[in-house]
């Protein structure tokens, strides 16, 4: 919690209560807090204090459910400021219009999105299996010379915002938005096309790893495999999984990089493996 927010709330909240306020996210001009039940009676006070210390914030939302469901959305309530959940967020020179109630968006993935974008080579065909409002895809388009980035999402609202964001960021010549289930879309339209596949949905990465492999060109390519890992062996189980699945299809995996993106519980991490997939010469 920033010090000025702590100072502003001193006297209204006990020291115990102050300790319960955790880091909050800012998306565009909206701040999102996750208040524990004990602080709910003081939610409007906390929201107002946040509006006062964060001059660019116009609305404060409290997250009242975990991120859930196929669309990875969450329930939010306005606790201070303007009654809205739509905003425009700026990241890495791009703008993303989002409605935080209707779509998934996390500003905490900014560094990861840029890291992936910087690896993309000129002329690559990229397939993003879980594209959301287009954040990875548009940042790749703006920071690389990829030939085309196919961007799939199953949530109609995310698809609509993705179309808007493609227009706002002027990348319609290279980012192709597709509404649908990634498995069906790859089977019907994208099998064997990709130099690089992104799988930014850890909950489905095991189920969809075969889909990612089938999207790659016959000679192989790169897969960014997002997963969860726990200490002491953070990457081992994910690596065993991808290696054995690839081997069953006659493919080899070389690990290019393994990174923790953020921790989500004690000793548990959201991770990414950058994998080079190739078909060994017979
Ligand atoms: C964690 S979000 C990632 C969004 C985006 N990559 C980002 O970083 O902002 C996962 C997205 O996958 C989408 N999704 C879930 N199941 C899907 C499926 N079977 N096919 C395509 N998209 C799916 C959800 O609607 C959601 O927008």
């Amino acid at each position: 919690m920033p010090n000025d927010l702590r100072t502003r709330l001193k006297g209204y909240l006990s020291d115990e209560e102050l300790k319960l306020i955790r880091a909050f996210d800012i998306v565009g001009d909206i701040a999102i807090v996750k208040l524990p039940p004990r602080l709910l009676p003081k939610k409007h006070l906390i929201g107002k204090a946040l509006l006062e210390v964060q001059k660019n914030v116009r609305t404060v939302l409290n997250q009242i459910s975990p991120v859930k469901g196929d669309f990875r959305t969450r329930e939010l309530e306005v606790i201070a400021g303007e009654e809205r959940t739509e905003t425009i967020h700026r990241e890495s020179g791009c703008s993303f219009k989002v409605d935080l109630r209707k779509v998934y968006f996390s500003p905490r993935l900014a560094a990861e999105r840029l890291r992936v974008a910087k690896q993309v080579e000129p002329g690559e065909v990229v397939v993003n299996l879980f594209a959301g409002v287009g954040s990875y895809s548009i940042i790749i388009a703006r920071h690389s010379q990829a030939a085309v980035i196919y961007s799939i999402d199953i949530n109609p609202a995310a698809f609509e915002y993705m179309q808007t964001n493609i227009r706002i960021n002027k990348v319609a010549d290279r980012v192709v938005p597709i509404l649908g289930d990634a498995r069906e879309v790859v089977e019907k339209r994208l099998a064997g096309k990709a130099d690089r596949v992104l799988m930014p949905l850890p909950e489905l990465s095991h189920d969809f790893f075969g889909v990612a492999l089938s999207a790659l060109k016959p000679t192989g390519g790169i897969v960014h495999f997002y997963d969860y890992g726990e200490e002491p062996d953070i990457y081992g189980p994910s690596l065993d999984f991808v290696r054995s699945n690839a081997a069953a299809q006659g493919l080899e995996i070389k690990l290019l990089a393994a990174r923790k993106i953020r921790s989500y519980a004690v000793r548990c991490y959201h991770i990414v493996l950058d994998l080079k997939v190739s078909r060994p010469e017979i």
Side-chain angles (χ1 to χ4, degrees):
M1 179 175 41
N3 278 338
D4 43 0
L5 180 59
R6 189 182 299 275
T7 313
R8 177 70 190 72
L9 285 169
K10 249 194 153 100
Y12 297 96
L13 267 64
S14 66
D15 286 349
E16 290 282 289
E17 288 173 327
L18 280 171
K19 276 189 207 140
L20 294 173
I21 302 182
R22 295 286 147 88
F24 52 86
D25 281 344
I26 295 188
V27 179
D29 60 0
I30 296 180
I32 308 162
V33 295
K34 216 193 277 182
L35 298 177
R38 178 156 166 209
L39 289 180
L40 290 181
K42 296 187 175 166
K43 64 185 179 188
H44 297 298
L45 189 96
I46 296 166
K48 270 192 183 159
L50 233 169
L51 280 183
E52 281 171 25
V53 298
Q54 295 283 322
K55 294 294 175 211
N56 297 327
V57 168
R58 297 274 168 273
T59 297
V60 182
L61 304 177
N62 180 33
Q63 180 173 332
I64 52 180
S65 82
V67 171
K68 59 184 180 178
D70 287 349
F71 299 166
R72 309 306 296 147
T73 48
R74 54 196 159 167
E75 287 163 36
L76 299 159
E77 57 172 354
V78 177
I79 56 170
E82 297 167 17
E83 251 322 301
R84 65 179 161 86
T85 49
E86 188 182 75
T87 187
I88 295 183
H89 183 74
R90 296 205 163 68
E91 179 184 311
S92 299
C94 303
S95 299
F96 297 106
K97 194 169 191 183
V98 294
D99 185 325
L100 296 163
R101 267 198 188 120
K102 295 183 183 164
V103 301
Y104 175 91
F105 185 83
S106 172
R108 298 186 190 195
L109 297 173
E112 173 60 14
R113 291 192 261 263
L114 195 57
R115 186 190 74 87
V116 170
K118 293 203 161 150
Q119 293 180 28
V120 176
E121 305 276 353
E124 275 192 14
V125 174
V126 179
V127 171
N128 184 354
L129 296 182
F130 309 114
V133 298
S135 32
Y136 275 88
S137 304
I138 290 166
I139 287 174
I140 289 173
R142 290 288 291 271
H143 290 268
S144 80
Q145 293 173 49
V148 58
I149 304 124
Y150 295 104
S151 299
I152 309 164
D153 204 282
I154 201 168
N155 175 357
F159 174 72
E160 269 187 34
Y161 278 101
M162 178 162 35
Q163 287 179 306
T164 303
N165 291 327
I166 288 170
R167 206 174 49 245
I168 296 176
N169 291 285
K170 302 187 173 58
V171 290
D173 53 336
R174 290 182 301 140
V175 179
V176 179
I178 303 172
L179 174 63
D181 170 51
R183 188 181 305 278
E184 288 171 19
V185 173
V186 169
E187 268 172 25
K188 284 192 193 129
R189 290 179 57 180
L190 301 175
K193 288 219 161 100
D195 295 295
R196 183 179 299 270
V197 178
L198 276 58
M199 308 183 68
L201 178 52
E203 287 77 6
L204 288 188
S205 56
H206 287 235
D207 285 352
F208 278 72
F209 186 58
V211 176
L213 293 179
S214 67
L216 288 176
K217 289 181 173 167
T219 45
I222 308 283
V223 175
H224 299 281
F225 183 82
Y226 293 85
D227 203 354
Y228 294 113
E230 285 180 29
E231 284 178 8
D233 188 6
I234 299 174
Y235 306 112
S238 308
L239 201 50
D240 290 346
F241 171 83
V242 293
R243 285 219 161 104
S244 65
N245 270 262
Q249 300 194 32
L251 297 165
E252 266 176 11
I253 298 272
K254 182 175 168 209
L255 180 65
L256 300 178
R259 290 185 74 240
K260 290 183 223 162
I261 296 173
R262 57 182 170 177
S263 78
Y264 66 92
V266 183
R267 292 187 280 278
C268 301
Y269 303 92
H270 179 187
I271 60 166
V272 60
L273 304 182
D274 296 346
L275 308 169
K276 182 162 174 46
V277 181
S278 57
R279 191 169 293 284
E281 303 279 326
I282 300 161

